[in-house]
Amino acid sequence: MRPERRPVSEVWTALGSRFLPFADAASDTLPLSRLLRLSLFQVSVGMAMVLLTGTLNRVMIVELGMPAWLVALMVALPLVFAPLRALIGHRSDTHKSVLGWRRGPFIWFGSMFQFGGLALMPFALILLSGDTTGPAWVGPAGAALAFLLVGAGIHITQTAGLALASDLATEETRPRVVALLYIMLLFGMLVSSLVFGWLLHDFNTMILIQVIQGAGVVTMALNLIALWKQETQNRALTDPARERPAFGDTWRRLVADATTARLLAASGLGVAAFSMQDVLLEPYGAEMLAMTVSETTRLTALWALGALLGFALCSRQLSRGGEPHRLAGLGAVAGIAAFVLIILAEPAGVMGVFLLGAFLIGFGGGLFSVGTLTAMMAVARRHESGIALGAWGAVTATATGVAVSLGGALRDIINRLGTEGHLGLAFSGPAAGYTTVYVLEILLLFATLAVVGPLARHSLTSSNPQATKFGLAAYPG
């Protein structure tokens, strides 16, 4: 007898679920087309992040001649709102409104903050260039306000958007849905860096202003498309008479766990080590290797590609029962190799070594972030997930802000002391400040390995491989 043939539609469905990325994230309540449309808010967030840390930092330091410490402080300003993400998520969970929408208002106002910051930024750059008869402080103040608005918009939009995606997804598909959203964030960063690099190939101030203005318009368009008809009204959830739960007791139980405290310390150290160079990598390429604005902007694409590969490797290992603390440690080792290569790139004068180092920063950072986040998700299974993941986000965001500011200030201090001859001949060149920061990052990564090592022996995760299957159901950014 001839074997019974499967219908062609079933064959194509099976192929799609097997080979189409994240096809299994779709469900009857959240089809793939709607999910992809919702993910556009992550593209706008990635675009804003590239503009702040991949383009404007280099322009302000190199082309406008601003001190690196001041630029680092401005880039760190958006992180002021990052520790509030747990509160933002809680407020969207318990939002009181007669209209019945919880997440939509937060996404809308976050988008308006992003647009307002990007609309203000070109005028601040004009003032920073010296084209003004007003006081000198107006330009830096305007730029700081613009960075602050964009940062607030990013954190509000992303927190509420991830919560909305989690609401719309089923329990089975929720981890893969939000994993797709995180991939879209990196995709937005990758594409935006390539587009900005192409637009800024023949750099001048007017083109930069047009790019920033265009980014503001695209941000509003993407977020409106993403939000349109996504959230249904549910007046029972937003009833003004509903009481909000308190945080105090849950927070005290969380921080009383010594293992959790060690995990948070390791997360803060590692993120600080990877973040200290955030505003220095592009200027380093410009000053030490004579890279153009277009070439340094493309570094973000290289970093994002490394992060995607790190994400993929971590996802594969975790789905097979891998230990998240060991993966985080592997990310730290990759980071040490990355900064060694970047330090060697300047004396060797080989751009390929520098590019490989930039790639490994993304790869190691991706492994480390996903590993520590997955370990924190195991903690969340024993506590309230919002407070546990919110604590992880608060620690990593604060560490990032402090590290970015410290990196810029340290570069300026070392270069100035070296130029004045206080540090000897070895520190008299322009690379001294950058090299000092990179060496400090290597030391921080060694300290991270020392802290995270004992956690690998006392895993917080279940021995069941299914329990460690990777998902980013509440990834804070």
Side-chain angles (χ1 to χ4, degrees):
M1 294 179 62
R2 297 177 62 184
E4 183 179 353
R5 292 185 177 182
R6 297 172 62 191
V8 175
S9 59
E10 292 185 10
V11 174
W12 281 109
T13 300
L15 286 174
S17 299
R18 184 174 180 183
F19 295 107
L20 184 63
F22 293 102
D24 57 350
S27 62
D28 293 338
T29 57
L30 187 61
L32 191 59
S33 59
R34 184 181 177 188
L35 175 57
L36 291 174
R37 182 166 62 85
L38 176 62
S39 69
L40 291 178
F41 79 87
Q42 286 285 70
V43 176
S44 75
V45 169
M47 179 176 62
M49 293 170 65
V50 168
L51 196 59
L52 296 187
T53 62
T55 302
L56 291 177
N57 61 321
R58 177 247 159 90
V59 169
M60 289 191 292
I61 291 175
V62 179
E63 274 70 27
L64 298 181
M66 294 180 62
W69 71 265
L70 181 58
V71 176
L73 185 61
M74 288 185 183
V75 173
L77 277 176
L79 297 170
V80 169
F81 284 89
L84 301 177
R85 293 183 70 134
L87 177 61
I88 294 169
H90 172 70
R91 295 288 295 181
S92 68
D93 285 338
T94 59
H95 182 57
K96 298 181 179 181
S97 170
V98 295
L99 297 177
W101 288 312
R102 296 189 299 165
R103 319 296 185 187
F106 287 85
I107 297 176
W108 169 251
F109 283 110
S111 302
M112 291 298 293
F113 276 119
Q114 280 182 260
F115 177 80
L118 293 173
L120 177 63
M121 200 167 292
F123 301 100
L125 292 177
I126 292 174
L127 295 176
L128 285 173
S129 68
D131 188 10
T132 177
T133 58
W137 60 266
V138 174
L145 178 60
F147 274 79
L148 199 61
L149 287 172
V150 173
I154 287 174
H155 293 301
I156 295 172
T157 299
Q158 195 174 49
T159 302
L162 290 173
L164 175 59
S166 186
D167 293 341
L168 295 175
T170 64
E171 188 68 30
E172 179 184 355
T173 63
R174 185 172 293 125
R176 294 187 294 278
V177 165
V178 187
L180 169 62
L181 294 178
Y182 180 56
I183 291 292
M184 290 299 288
L185 171 68
L186 297 180
F187 173 77
M189 296 179 70
L190 179 65
V191 172
S192 298
S193 64
L194 294 175
V195 172
F196 291 157
W198 173 66
L199 292 173
L200 296 171
H201 185 267
D202 298 318
F203 176 80
N204 63 62
T205 305
M206 185 54 66
I207 292 178
L208 177 63
I209 290 173
Q210 291 173 342
V211 167
I212 297 172
Q213 291 173 332
V217 174
V218 171
T219 292
M220 284 302 299
L222 289 176
N223 288 356
L224 283 174
I225 294 172
L227 182 59
W228 186 255
K229 292 186 177 181
Q230 293 284 8
E231 184 180 17
T232 57
Q233 291 178 293
N234 189 335
R235 293 183 177 85
L237 291 176
T238 61
D239 186 356
R242 192 163 59 100
E243 295 185 0
R244 294 189 179 98
F247 279 97
D249 294 338
T250 306
W251 175 260
R252 283 189 289 271
R253 286 197 302 270
L254 179 69
V255 296
D257 188 339
T259 308
T260 302
R262 178 179 281 269
L263 176 58
L264 291 174
S267 300
L269 282 172
V271 168
F274 280 106
S275 302
M276 195 172 288
Q277 52 72 43
D278 270 2
V279 298
L280 299 179
L281 196 63
E282 290 83 4
Y284 179 81
E287 293 188 37
M288 301 298 107
L289 299 171
M291 297 176 70
T292 65
V293 174
S294 177
E295 289 173 334
T296 55
T297 299
R298 292 194 185 104
L299 288 175
T300 305
L302 197 60
W303 172 89
L305 179 61
L308 282 171
L309 291 179
F311 177 91
L313 175 62
C314 209
S315 175
R316 181 181 178 86
Q317 293 300 316
L318 288 169
S319 66
R320 295 180 174 184
E323 211 288 312
H325 302 99
R326 293 181 182 272
L327 291 171
L330 179 60
V333 172
I336 292 171
F339 292 119
V340 169
L341 289 173
I342 289 174
I343 291 172
L344 294 176
E346 187 270 333
V350 180
M351 189 179 296
V353 174
F354 176 69
L355 296 178
L356 178 59
F359 170 82
L360 285 177
I361 289 175
F363 179 77
L367 273 177
F368 181 81
S369 296
V370 171
T372 54
L373 173 63
T374 306
M376 202 65 197
M377 290 175 69
V379 175
R381 286 195 286 269
R382 304 198 308 268
H383 300 274
E384 293 292 334
S385 60
I387 195 68
L389 295 170
W392 185 88
V395 167
T396 54
T398 303
T400 299
V402 172
V404 168
S405 302
L406 181 61
L410 190 59
R411 177 262 192 188
D412 284 349
I413 292 170
I414 296 297
N415 279 356
R416 181 171 181 177
L417 292 176
T419 302
E420 295 174 353
H422 298 297
L423 301 177
L425 186 62
F427 286 85
S428 60
Y434 294 109
T435 302
T436 301
V437 172
Y438 297 143
V439 169
L440 180 57
E441 289 181 294
I442 291 173
L443 294 176
L444 284 174
L445 286 171
F446 276 117
T448 301
L449 288 172
V451 176
V452 81
L455 294 175
R457 296 194 298 270
H458 305 285
S459 176
L460 295 175
T461 57
S462 169
S463 60
N464 181 4
Q466 285 293 94
T468 59
K469 192 167 184 178
F470 178 59
L472 291 174
Y475 189 80

